[in-house]
Amino acid sequence: MQLIRNTITFLFIITLFSTVFAQQNRVELPIGIQYNLRPTPIELSPLDLSEVAAQDSINDLDKSMPWRYGITRDIIIDLTTQGEWTTLPSGDRVCQVAIHSPDALNLSINFNDFYIPKGARMQLYNDSQSEYSKVYTSEENRNSNQLGSWFVSGEIIYIEYYQPSSVQDSVQLIVGSVIHGYRMGEVNRLVSGNRGLNDSGECNYDVNCSIGGDFDGKKDLVKKAVALLNLGNGYLCSAVLVNNAKADKTPYLLTANHCLDSGDPEFWSVRFNWMSPNPICATGEESQDLQNNFTMSGAQVRAKNALSDFALVELYTAVPQSWDVAFAGWDNSDTPPSYGVGIHHPNGDIMKICRDDSGATKRNANGTEVWLIGGTSVGTGNGWELGTTESGSSGSPLFNESGKIIGQLYAGASSCNGFENNNDYDIYGRFGVSWNTANSPDRRLKDWLDPDNLGVSSIETLQNLLNTPTFELTGKLEIFPNPAKTEITIINSRYPNLRYELFNLVGQKLEAGSMNTTMNTLNVSSLSNGVYLLHLMDDESNADLTKKIVVSR
């Protein structure tokens, strides 16, 4: 009877969820991959990075400036006239351009003229077809007609525009520059051994490491608000999505004012939920990468002030309702914390965390009002008791013991000395100073984060999923082909902790495993023809979905 009840439950869930696939932040297999279309790449000349490496050896020690991972290469390409057009059997058309920048570890694109008609779409992908971007649609159109993309790995990037036959409006896609990433993604032995993923110091703690029972529960929520910020010009910072007193999910992003010095927010892109599924806690092993498409593009500055080194920007597009992210709470009282926690992306690495047990103190650092994490060379204390920050952590949030933002990273001398922190200082611009010190909305936070002037001194973190309908559980979970012959692909652009179980119709579990990357494959070649049940579960949100899979050869 139990097996019968289980089967009935599975079949009920299949029916219930058959139409709940959300369209936000869609990830689809590009047409060029489906039809094996490979345009001849436009060749860029090789770069001499010896001088860049020398500069990086100095700049990487300076947290008061963004971390450089790439070089901007100016190039004008009009897809409509320089792209290769293909008409598909359906009458739909595809336009493609490929760009080759020799020895690049990753590439991204800035569009000086960007307009996509409603119903059409654009995607980027790499030469090995192992990585491809989210789908860019008319939702990304904006008054500036500019857009910056997230990067894909490899030295060749494909730009694909797809226009159904029913779309008659004209497209505008003019590339203005390519960002040649020379570190991040894998070891680059040609440039002094520089690397990106796992490049941060060995004393770092992945964000999913425990830093104490008094904060672990808060951390599991606020980490979902932290983002890696791509400045669109080869530089990176960190940032945090912040809540406001109306709790209306306005996509405000807080970072450092000095991050504005190195890029135009029109070309910014952000990535949320980049966390290792196997946390490394200052033991020197390499963190496992996690590929996902929690990315958004473009922002406009709302307020900034060098007095506390803050910048508040608003993302052009709303955060999809289906994303498991959070809008962090804050405290503007300027009260010193009993202890502090920083969450950040050092050196463009996967998300890390650090903890200071002695509590930050107020200081003025050459005219900037800051929180001081005291260390051996400045103040009292021993710096961070767990972890550190590094270049690239700029703009990352400092949380007090209640898990509320009280500042963003400005500068400091904290770093790793092997597996231990060097016990030196860090300084953060103070949220309380940013709140209302200036006399105009473009130089303070108050007008944006308390727009109704309620006079609140602190607010809680808002989970993005709390107001999402109960059965909207698929951010985008796309499963194809179905029926399948040898394997199925599961595209996951929402759940960083997704796992699966495969059952036959009598409830026997055939296999189980993880599906926490953006594109996952499940081999079904050993299964007999028939119907199976694929049960997908997210351990963190407790969301689940069961899908009927047909194997037919």
Side-chain angles (χ1 to χ4, degrees):
M1 289 297 296
Q2 183 63 45
L3 285 178
I4 294 175
R5 283 196 295 270
N6 287 345
T7 302
I8 292 173
T9 300
F10 278 132
L11 292 175
F12 171 74
I13 293 173
I14 289 170
T15 303
L16 184 64
F17 287 110
S18 61
T19 60
V20 299
F21 291 101
Q23 295 301 311
Q24 295 137 327
N25 208 54
R26 289 161 41 208
V27 181
E28 298 182 6
L29 193 66
I31 299 296
I33 295 179
Q34 296 181 43
Y35 286 87
N36 195 29
L37 304 176
R38 289 186 176 270
T40 302
I42 296 172
E43 296 287 341
L44 304 183
S45 58
L47 292 174
D48 181 359
L49 297 178
S50 56
E51 183 177 346
V52 170
Q55 294 170 351
D56 288 344
S57 66
I58 299 172
N59 295 340
D60 283 356
L61 303 176
D62 188 353
K63 298 176 193 175
S64 66
M65 60 186 301
W67 184 78
R68 180 166 63 184
Y69 77 93
I71 303 296
T72 300
R73 311 199 68 178
D74 294 328
I75 181 173
I76 303 297
I77 303 173
D78 186 338
L79 258 73
T80 62
T81 59
Q82 295 173 259
E84 295 186 17
W85 287 89
T86 302
T87 300
L88 303 177
S90 62
D92 300 342
R93 301 179 71 207
V94 178
C95 181
Q96 295 176 304
V97 161
I99 303 171
H100 179 207
S101 188
D103 297 323
L105 297 183
N106 54 70
L107 293 167
S108 58
I109 303 293
N110 287 336
F111 292 92
N112 286 351
D113 196 355
F114 180 94
Y115 174 82
I116 292 183
K118 187 174 182 179
R121 69 175 189 253
M122 184 199 75
Q123 276 183 283
L124 311 172
Y125 57 97
N126 61 359
D127 191 49
S128 64
Q129 302 182 352
S130 61
E131 287 185 23
Y132 45 94
S133 74
K134 70 171 189 177
V135 173
Y136 294 87
T137 68
S138 59
E139 293 181 0
E140 273 75 36
N141 295 339
R142 53 190 65 123
N143 292 336
S144 68
N145 287 95
Q146 295 177 320
L147 181 132
S149 78
W150 198 255
F151 38 74
V152 296
S153 63
E155 59 183 27
I156 299 178
I157 187 168
Y158 290 79
I159 307 170
E160 174 183 290
Y161 170 70
Y162 169 70
Q163 182 167 305
S165 58
S166 58
V167 175
Q168 301 299 317
D169 198 4
S170 298
V171 61
Q172 299 167 215
L173 285 175
I174 299 180
V175 175
S177 60
V178 177
I179 311 301
H180 173 113
Y182 59 89
R183 52 181 178 174
M184 286 190 69
E186 61 183 86
V187 178
N188 182 358
R189 301 294 183 186
L190 302 178
V191 189
S192 305
N194 289 331
R195 62 194 187 119
L197 178 66
N198 297 305
D199 187 37
S200 58
E202 293 177 318
C203 74
N204 271 289
Y205 282 66
D206 283 342
V207 73
N208 286 325
C209 296
S210 174
I211 61 165
D214 55 350
F215 199 83
D216 281 348
K218 303 178 184 72
K219 173 202 68 179
D220 288 340
L221 176 59
V222 298
K223 69 185 182 183
K224 298 177 184 179
V226 178
L228 177 59
L229 175 58
N230 181 353
L231 303 179
N233 60 353
Y235 289 84
L236 299 173
C237 279
S238 297
V240 61
L241 196 62
V242 291
N243 194 11
N244 68 76
K246 296 177 72 171
D248 61 3
K249 299 185 181 180
T250 301
Y252 290 129
L253 204 66
L254 179 70
T255 188
N257 181 60
H258 68 260
C259 294
L260 288 173
D261 296 337
S262 296
D264 182 349
E266 292 284 349
F267 296 113
W268 283 10
S269 54
V270 294
R271 179 182 186 181
F272 297 96
N273 282 337
W274 194 34
M275 312 174 206
S276 177
N278 64 325
I280 302 301
C281 310
T283 56
E285 294 95 342
E286 292 191 350
S287 301
Q288 181 180 337
D289 194 4
L290 175 65
Q291 294 295 329
N292 64 41
N293 272 295
F294 290 84
T295 61
M296 301 178 70
S297 298
Q300 53 189 324
V301 177
R302 292 307 190 191
K304 61 178 182 176
N305 199 324
L307 179 64
S308 53
D309 191 47
F310 90 89
L312 184 76
V313 304
E314 182 178 348
L315 298 172
Y316 276 120
T317 53
V319 176
Q321 290 185 1
S322 58
W323 280 14
D324 189 14
V325 299
F327 298 77
W330 39 261
D331 186 327
N332 65 29
S333 67
D334 214 28
T335 303
S338 59
Y339 67 88
V341 172
I343 302 180
H344 55 104
H345 287 279
N347 291 4
D349 206 344
I350 211 156
M351 196 183 297
K352 308 294 182 181
I353 193 166
C354 48
R355 173 172 175 149
D356 167 49
D357 286 332
S358 57
T361 57
K362 297 178 183 179
R363 289 290 182 93
N364 183 288
N366 297 320
T368 303
E369 296 294 336
V370 301
W371 292 115
L372 170 66
I373 309 293
T376 55
S377 62
V378 178
T380 59
N382 295 312
W384 300 100
E385 274 69 38
L386 295 175
T388 187
T389 65
E390 299 181 80
S391 180
S393 304
S394 290
S396 62
L398 177 67
F399 296 97
N400 65 11
E401 68 277 5
S402 299
K404 296 176 180 177
I405 300 170
I406 59 171
Q408 68 288 326
L409 185 63
Y410 167 49
S414 173
S415 65
C416 288
N417 183 10
F419 297 120
E420 302 294 331
N421 183 280
N422 68 350
N423 301 129
D424 222 330
Y425 75 97
D426 268 339
I427 51 179
Y428 287 76
R430 300 207 317 263
F431 192 96
V433 174
S434 307
W435 185 256
N436 196 30
T437 299
N439 57 8
S440 62
D442 62 344
R443 301 184 66 237
R444 64 189 184 195
L445 293 173
K446 173 184 175 182
D447 306 83
W448 307 100
L449 301 186
D450 186 12
D452 295 330
N453 199 24
L454 301 177
V456 295
S457 60
S458 68
I459 61 173
E460 300 296 327
T461 295
L462 175 68
Q463 295 189 64
N464 189 47
L465 293 181
L466 283 183
N467 297 321
T468 301
T470 305
F471 297 122
E472 188 183 348
L473 296 178
T474 58
K476 175 78 174 184
L477 279 177
E478 185 175 359
I479 303 170
F480 62 89
N482 194 12
K485 293 182 178 180
T486 59
E487 68 178 20
I488 60 174
T489 297
I490 297 92
I491 293 180
N492 166 28
S493 66
R494 168 169 171 186
Y495 298 108
N497 297 292
L498 191 70
R499 58 189 178 88
Y500 78 94
E501 295 174 338
L502 186 67
F503 296 84
N504 60 23
L505 283 181
V506 296
Q508 294 175 313
K509 185 189 296 185
L510 304 179
E511 59 179 284
S514 173
M515 288 189 171
N516 55 24
T517 61
T518 296
M519 186 171 68
N520 309 269
T521 58
L522 179 61
N523 192 319
V524 296
S525 60
S526 63
L527 300 180
S528 302
N529 287 351
V531 178
Y532 299 86
L533 301 174
L534 179 64
H535 187 202
L536 300 172
M537 301 150 287
D538 179 62
D539 291 331
E540 194 154 339
S541 66
N542 293 321
D544 68 343
L545 166 72
T546 299
K547 177 70 175 177
K548 180 171 66 175
I549 300 296
V550 177
V551 175
S552 178
R553 302 181 186 90

